[in-house]
């Protein structure tokens, strides 16, 4: 607990004891396991870094005689990397190159997993994500993701790193050019929920505003149907994320061929799910995709309105006292995409304000 850790730091020079233990071949393994827990505490991290503790840990990795001890040292390094204020210390040590070298030197799951976790935690900004790509991690990440279920924790950590890289708009063209979208497709067949969510997140971000990626995904046999299947599933986070991938495909491509593929796969039901949420952003996304699809096939898109809960949600939204102009625009554009006869009797008024959301 925090009070116990405070007492240890105040009453005894515990960190000095750890530093000495790391220099002992006999005591280092046990010290590393305990140190990972101690370093979860911010005060301990700050003091450990002040004493050059990060260098001690990298030295412990280099001195480790087996992969188990390397993994323990790397877990302690990752306990420091989770703190967003520690990036400068890692930069000063050339940590990205060192960590890549460690990962490339072994096939051990735990060693490589801890490298991926650490680098993923460091990739918190555009500059940091660009530095990761410049340090030649992408091939290693994709190789790790392609491994079988015997490397499940490594796959998950690698997907987490890739997802962090994809969050940064500046890195997306590099990820697209490297074939990351294609690399995510086998992961969508995984039975493991964290893998599915991360893969869908990467695809959503890479598809955003990029017609070639959208057309590639829509043209992949069976993919639209798989995304719809996942979007209609009972795991809410996966359902929402895959529904949003379908939205990005529709909005980025804006072609009759892609619209036909999505409508045939049953995209209307996931769009209803998005619009029935309480989150304005996802409602807006769903309505934008609906308007795009209706522009190409208004009759099949009109199935969207055959759901009383959807209509009730939008009616309540329309009755809200104040809505942002982007929300009003998406709502009005969705209505404008359908003939008056389709909307007759639904009680959905056109709202004042807002321009086109296209």
């Amino acid at each position: 607990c925090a009070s116990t850790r405070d007492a240890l730091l105040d009453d005894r020079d515990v960190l000095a004891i750890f530093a000495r233990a790391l220099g002992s071949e006999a005591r280092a393994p046990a010290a590393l396991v305990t140190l990972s827990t101690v370093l979860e505490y911010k005060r301990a991290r700050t003091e450990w870094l002040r004493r050059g503790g990060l260098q001690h840990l990298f030295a412990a990795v280099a001195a480790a005689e087996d992969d188990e001890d390397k993994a323990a040292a790397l877990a302690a390094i990752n306990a420091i990397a989770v703190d967003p204020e520690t990036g400068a210390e890692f930069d000063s040590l050339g940590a990205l190159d060192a960590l890549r070298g460690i990962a490339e030197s072994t096939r051990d799951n735990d060693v490589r997993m801890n490298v991926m976790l650490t680098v993923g935690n460091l990739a918190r900004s555009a500059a940091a994500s660009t530095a990761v790509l410049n340090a030649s991690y992408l091939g290693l990440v994709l190789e790790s993701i392609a491994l079988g279920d015997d490397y499940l924790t490594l796959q998950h950590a690698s997907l987490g790193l890739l997802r962090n890289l994809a969050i940064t708009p500046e890195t997306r063209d590099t990820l697209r050019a490297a074939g990351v979208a294609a690399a995510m497709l086998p992961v969508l067949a995984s039975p493991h929920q964290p893998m599915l969510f991360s893969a869908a997140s990467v695809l959503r971000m890479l598809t955003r505003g990029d017609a070639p990626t959208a057309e590639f995904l829509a043209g992949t046999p069976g993919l639209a149907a798989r995304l719809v299947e996942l979007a209609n599933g009972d795991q809410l986070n996966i359902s929402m994320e895959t529904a949003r991938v379908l939205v990005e495909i529709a909005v980025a491509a804006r072609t009759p061929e892609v619209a036909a593929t999505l409508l045939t796969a049953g995209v209307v039901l996931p769009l209803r799910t998005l619009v029935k949420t309480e989150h304005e952003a996802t409602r807006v996304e769903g309505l934008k995709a609906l308007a795009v699809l209706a522009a190409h096939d208004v009759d099949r898109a009109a199935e969207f309105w055959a759901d009383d809960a959807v209509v009730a949600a939008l009616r309540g939204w329309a009755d809200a006292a104040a809505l942002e102009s982007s929300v009003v625009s998406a709502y009005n554009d969705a209505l404008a995409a359908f003939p008056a006869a389709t909307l007759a009797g639904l009680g959905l008024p056109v709202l004042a304000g807002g321009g086109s959301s296209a």
Side-chain angles (χ1 to χ4, degrees):
C1 66
S3 60
T4 301
R5 286 178 294 200
D6 274 334
L8 286 170
L9 290 171
D10 290 338
D11 297 341
R12 299 181 62 192
D13 198 350
V14 172
L15 295 179
I17 295 171
F18 276 118
R20 288 194 296 273
L22 293 183
S24 165
E25 182 177 336
R27 292 187 293 164
L32 286 168
V33 172
T34 308
L35 184 58
S36 295
T37 302
V38 172
L39 291 175
E40 292 175 2
Y41 184 41
K42 184 172 181 62
R43 181 182 167 195
R45 285 197 301 271
T46 301
E47 182 63 17
W48 182 251
L49 287 172
R50 188 184 68 79
R51 299 176 183 217
L54 196 54
Q55 294 96 313
H56 285 303
L57 289 172
F58 274 103
V61 175
E65 295 187 349
D66 57 44
D67 286 330
E68 184 177 356
D69 290 346
K70 280 186 182 179
L74 287 163
I77 290 172
N78 184 49
I80 296 172
V82 297
D83 188 334
E85 298 178 5
T86 62
E89 283 80 2
F90 281 90
D91 290 344
S92 68
L93 293 177
L96 288 177
D97 289 336
L99 289 166
R100 190 193 67 250
I102 292 165
E104 290 174 341
S105 70
T106 180
R107 301 290 292 181
D108 183 78
N109 179 80
D110 290 340
V111 170
R112 297 181 79 174
M113 175 195 70
N114 277 294
V115 168
M116 295 301 174
L117 288 173
T118 301
V119 176
N121 281 321
L122 294 175
R124 297 187 187 93
S125 66
S129 294
T130 299
V132 170
L133 291 177
N134 289 341
S136 303
Y137 271 87
L138 194 50
L140 187 62
V141 170
L142 295 178
E143 174 191 315
S144 299
I145 291 169
L147 296 172
D149 278 0
D150 288 344
Y151 293 87
L152 186 61
T153 55
L154 171 57
Q155 288 178 306
H156 187 203
S158 300
L159 278 166
L161 167 54
L162 192 57
R163 180 171 177 266
N164 285 355
L165 295 175
I167 288 172
T168 303
E170 292 84 347
T171 66
R172 290 176 189 163
D173 284 344
T174 300
L175 299 179
R176 291 172 184 131
V180 168
M184 294 300 97
L185 303 188
V187 184
L188 292 177
S190 172
H192 305 290
Q193 294 173 22
M195 304 273 286
L196 291 171
F197 179 81
S198 293
S201 294
V202 171
L203 286 177
R204 175 173 62 83
M205 289 180 277
L206 294 185
T207 307
R208 179 168 297 164
D210 191 69
T213 301
E215 291 168 4
F216 163 73
L217 294 177
T220 300
L223 179 62
R226 176 56 174 163
L227 290 171
V228 168
E229 177 188 7
L230 292 170
N232 293 338
D234 56 6
Q235 297 298 321
L236 182 60
N237 62 335
I238 296 171
S239 172
M240 297 296 290
E241 199 68 9
T242 48
R244 296 177 74 194
V245 176
L246 290 162
V247 164
E248 298 294 350
I249 293 172
V251 172
R254 294 179 179 266
T255 66
E257 295 80 11
V258 169
T261 297
L262 296 179
L263 288 166
T264 299
V267 72
V268 165
L269 189 54
L271 295 186
R272 288 175 179 167
T273 299
L274 291 175
V275 171
K276 285 188 284 189
T277 69
E278 296 181 357
H279 305 291
E280 284 192 356
T282 52
R283 286 187 174 186
V284 166
E285 290 176 359
L287 290 174
K288 284 184 176 181
L290 176 65
V292 169
L293 296 173
H296 297 295
D297 191 335
V298 71
D299 291 334
R300 284 205 286 177
E303 297 172 12
F304 175 86
W305 302 107
D307 184 324
D308 292 341
V310 166
V311 175
L314 290 176
R315 194 181 297 130
W317 206 15
D319 291 340
L323 293 172
E324 293 187 7
S325 61
S326 61
V327 175
V328 173
S329 297
Y331 171 91
N332 285 343
D333 287 351
L335 296 188
F338 295 89
T342 300
L343 304 176
L346 297 183
L348 295 171
V350 174
L351 300 179
S356 172
S357 64

